[in-house]
């Protein structure tokens, strides 16, 4: 682990190891789980915020908590509704369990812009919002390519079997 990773872990380890936050490992999110998704968003946003001398500690923590809501076995309808309502739920959960700052709350609340209409009003909020979108796109296409590769493997196996 390099110095940057060690610094990041020292900032967020209380969240990463918390029993409520660990429940996100059971919540499917873009072909992965919400725990891993949140870590990717958080570490990416942390590196950008640190490079540009922003409030990198608040960025790391709020980015990690941006999807901090539990809906392990939600129906499609519940997941759709959560698209619009989860920033407020994540903010409330984060306030209750992790005693977040007002800036962290604003970052969490605005991360779904433009899907929800809470406009990010500072650089830190924009960093988390953009990192979240980039990670979502990456996860989506990883999942699509994985399915395509699986399909091609099945096709090759069938072709080999029937060509004999």
């Amino acid at each position: 682990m390099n110095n940057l990773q060690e610094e990041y872990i020292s900032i967020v380890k209380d969240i990463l190891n918390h029993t409520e936050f660990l429940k996100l490992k059971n919540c499917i999110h873009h072909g992965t789980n919400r725990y891993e998704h949140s870590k990717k968003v958080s570490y990416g946003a942390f590196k950008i915020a640190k490079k540009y001398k922003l409030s990198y500690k608040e960025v790391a923590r709020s980015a990690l908590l941006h999807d901090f809501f539990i809906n392990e076995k939600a129906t499609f309808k519940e997941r759709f509704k959560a698209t619009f309502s989860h920033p407020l739920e994540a903010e409330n959960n984060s306030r209750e369990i992790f005693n977040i700052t007002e800036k962290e709350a604003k970052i969490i609340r605005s991360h779904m812009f433009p899907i929800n209409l809470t406009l990010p009003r500072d650089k830190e909020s924009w960093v988390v919002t953009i990192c979240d979108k980039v990670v979502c796109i990456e996860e989506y296409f990883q999942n699509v390519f994985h399915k395509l590769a699986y399909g091609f493997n099945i096709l090759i196996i069938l072709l080999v079997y029937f060509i004999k």
Side-chain angles (χ1 to χ4, degrees):
M1 200 177 324
N2 65 35
N3 290 341
L4 193 61
Q5 291 168 325
E6 288 174 6
E7 181 178 10
Y8 170 75
I9 294 297
S10 73
I11 293 167
V12 298
K13 68 182 167 198
D14 63 314
I15 299 171
L16 288 174
N17 298 321
H18 194 282
T19 54
E20 286 301 307
F21 191 77
L22 288 168
K23 290 179 182 177
L24 295 182
K25 289 183 176 186
N26 298 320
C27 299
I28 302 302
H29 193 74
H30 307 296
T32 184
N33 64 58
R34 203 170 305 130
Y35 181 90
E36 292 302 324
H37 164 80
S38 296
K39 279 183 15 182
K40 286 181 200 171
V41 173
S42 178
Y43 188 60
F46 162 77
K47 290 191 298 186
I48 292 167
K50 185 135 174 96
K51 179 177 181 174
Y52 291 101
K53 296 177 177 38
L54 303 176
S55 301
Y56 61 90
K57 291 178 183 179
E58 288 174 304
V59 165
R61 294 177 65 78
S62 58
L64 193 57
L65 294 167
H66 80 280
D67 281 343
F68 182 42
F69 68 103
I70 310 296
N71 67 341
E72 296 173 49
K73 296 184 179 10
T75 65
F76 175 79
K77 185 177 179 180
E78 291 167 334
R79 287 194 316 270
F80 180 77
K81 284 182 182 178
T83 301
F84 303 96
S85 64
H86 82 269
L88 186 56
E89 189 175 345
E91 176 192 349
N92 290 337
N93 291 342
S94 300
R95 281 183 187 277
E96 182 181 321
I97 296 173
F98 296 107
N99 195 28
I100 60 173
T101 67
E102 281 307 310
K103 182 174 217 143
E104 290 167 338
K106 288 177 186 176
I107 293 169
I108 294 167
R109 194 177 322 124
S110 66
H111 84 273
M112 284 299 290
F113 183 80
I115 291 173
N116 72 16
L117 300 178
T118 304
L119 180 69
R121 299 216 180 259
D122 53 40
K123 292 174 185 172
E124 290 85 357
S125 295
W126 279 108
V127 167
V128 173
T129 298
I130 293 167
C131 281
D132 184 38
K133 305 303 180 265
V134 168
V135 170
C136 283
I137 291 167
E138 175 193 15
E139 289 168 344
Y140 174 79
F141 281 107
Q142 264 184 344
N143 195 26
V144 168
F145 289 133
H146 176 75
K147 287 179 180 178
L148 284 172
Y150 179 78
F152 282 128
N153 285 335
I154 296 296
L155 181 63
I156 290 169
I157 290 167
L158 290 173
L159 285 172
V160 168
Y161 178 77
F162 286 112
I163 289 178
K164 286 184 181 181

